[in-house]
Amino acid sequence: MSHHSRFSPRSLLFGGDYSPEQWPESVWREDVALMREAGVNIVTLGVFSWGLLEVDDDRWDWDWFDRIIDLLSNEGISIDLATPTASPPIWLHREHPEILPVDRRGIRYHQGGRLQWCPSHPVWQRYARRIAERLGERYGAHPSVTMWHVSNELGGGNRRCYCAASTSAFRVWLENRYEHIDAVNSAWGTAFWGHRYRRFDDVTAPLDSESAQNPSLLLDFDRFSSDALLGQFRLERDALRDAGVTTPITTNLMVSPSGSVADYASWIDDLDVVAIDHYTIAEDPRRERELAFVASRTRGLDPSRPWLVMEHSTSAVNWQRRNAPKSPGEMIRNSLQHIAHGSDGALFFQWRASASGAEQFHSAMVPHAGSDSRQWREVVELGRRLAQLDELTGSLGERSEVAILVDDVSLWAWHAGQKPLHDHPIHEDARQWFDVLSARGFGPDVVPPTSDLTGRSLIVVPSLYLVTDATVAAIEAVVRSGSTVVIGPLSGIVDADSRIRVGGYPGAFRDMLGVVGEELVPLLDGEQLLLSSGAQMADISARLRTTAADVVEVHRGGDLDGLPAITRRAVGAGAAWHISGLVGAGFDDLVDRITGDAGLVRRLPSSDDIEAVRRVSADGSWLFLINHGTTDAVVPADGTDLISGESADGRFALPAGDVAVIRERVEKRATRPV
Ligand code: GAL
């Protein structure tokens, strides 16, 4: 992996997106005074400032930007400088409406909004490169500009563009991937409906039709779109480097449990630090678990480096149905959750709540009410706590012996075209495993299928619809050498081209599992299948027969009566489990049986309400204990809480809603597997 520049802050980063252009300069002075009061050490500047920096084509107004950079710099606040390409100026759209993206109906979007550009359009690329270059030339050597932030949430508004420029770029992309059009015809199975292509020029972006589309074409268009966005990142990064920038360059990813807009696993080598934005959903009563899943997944993208939560919210989020504030203490827990899972800081959208514009009802570090507010006091309290945690900067999340495989491309493949069940959120299978394994103290890692599986005692493959041959081989190899694997329902159904692996489901794993699935059996609304243990399945099961596996549980009643539902097969030194459907009631017991079979030993003092996560380094280990519940708890721990200064001698009292970060006793750490 070649990193131009190492991200290694001296202390945990604390701050947020800062938009001084929305306020008179008198407010800037109050801003920096408040930043100092809270211990803010970095702000992201310029994300949406293009139209105020390049006020007309190649006419520049740098004065105000110089002034704010000087002010921040004089106060010792670092700057994460953004290229402002997420929001092109109005004049650019007036002069070049051809850069606006086109939707799948072939309709061009209009000026305004943001991310209103096609990454494949040469005119867009010219302007984007120029603004990045100008910024790099002007501020690249500034000592306070310690990192760079390319654009903002690439794909969050322009995930797929169907314009003529995109179509041309898609053809080039296909030619690079397949070399010959016959290879496309074969990969996409275009014999179906006789959609045979004669040459690459016959292919277009998958514009809408009333009838269904070819799922392999849709999947390749998603892959192309992800690469086009990565191309945008590279174009801007290269412009910055050419202009002399030597500090770390990144962009803020949107890692989503239901499938991200890009295949981030393939972006990682380009990023000097993996940075994400994450927003909890107020209506989700266990939103802290979704946060933990995303944080674990982010860490799993590159476990060898700390990452960074570039944006999260202090409180209410205007784009949600009910724009509810976070409960007192929740922001602090959320920030420390991210840090627990390996973020080297906690940054927010945004510093000061806007008075005008599309996001005027979004929370911020400084709310509309100003600094005499609960929100501000909590921000100051968070800053105080972060300052006590500086010693863990640079440490990493502890590697788990349990891995859950999750893949954006597989999720896209599931969503592309017609499937056995359309309303089933396939990604929830992974979430369910994560929640139970976390609460059991196994601290699972959520990783892409391409990650290193060696040394994992348990590998969970939940609804991993698309798997490549390489992943199949890697899983089989670790199982033979002693790991336990669980293949969930709907896993291994298609190959990398989204072609069914025929001969019985799940085609990719059939031989290893010693089962043949003859039919997928989606259930109707409210229908439940009973298993011999009393557990229940909903949404889907399968008509299975065993060829070499032992039957662990059978269906009871209905069309599948007596047929296998859960199987296990000894494979080499390991074991391969298969679950034919989605288990509802009884799932926790099933997890216990499988983790017992895998010989897993609880590593962390977690429970339903207590999230326990460990960071490790050559200098020590830190145990984060987060009480998400409403009752006080006593948790096993040994060491000193960096936040309260209290010592934990085998037990630590953790009040409801509170967080502790225990620097663990060294003699304990030495005996613990890291
Ligand atoms: C993010 C975005 C920010 C802001 C925020 C509001 O997705 O990057 O600029 O819009 O959402 O929640």
Side-chain angles (χ1 to χ4, degrees), residues 6-15 41-42 147 272-276 298-299 304-310 312 335-347 386 389-397 615-617 622 624:
R6 244 183 99 75
F7 169 75
S8 47
R10 281 189 302 272
S11 51
L12 295 178
L13 300 185
F14 180 46
N41 53 23
I42 191 165
M147 63 186 290
D272 291 330
V273 53
V274 176
I276 64 155
T298 302
R299 187 178 96 69
S304 72
R305 296 184 273 166
W307 52 277
L308 185 60
V309 61
M310 186 65 91
H312 65 318
S335 299
L336 291 171
Q337 278 187 280
H338 284 295
I339 293 172
H341 288 273
S343 172
D344 260 359
L347 308 188
L386 295 185
L389 303 180
D390 277 346
E391 66 178 56
L392 54 79
T393 313
S395 63
L396 300 172
R615 283 181 72 149
V616 295
S617 82
W622 296 267
F624 284 71

Side-chain angles (χ1 to χ4, degrees), residues 17 48 114 152-153 252 277 279 311 317-319 349 359 362:
D17 279 24
F48 302 110
R114 56 177 172 177
N152 191 68
E153 295 192 341
N252 44 348
D277 297 348
Y279 290 89
E311 285 181 25
V317 174
N318 56 285
W319 45 262
F349 179 85
E359 301 185 306
H362 197 289

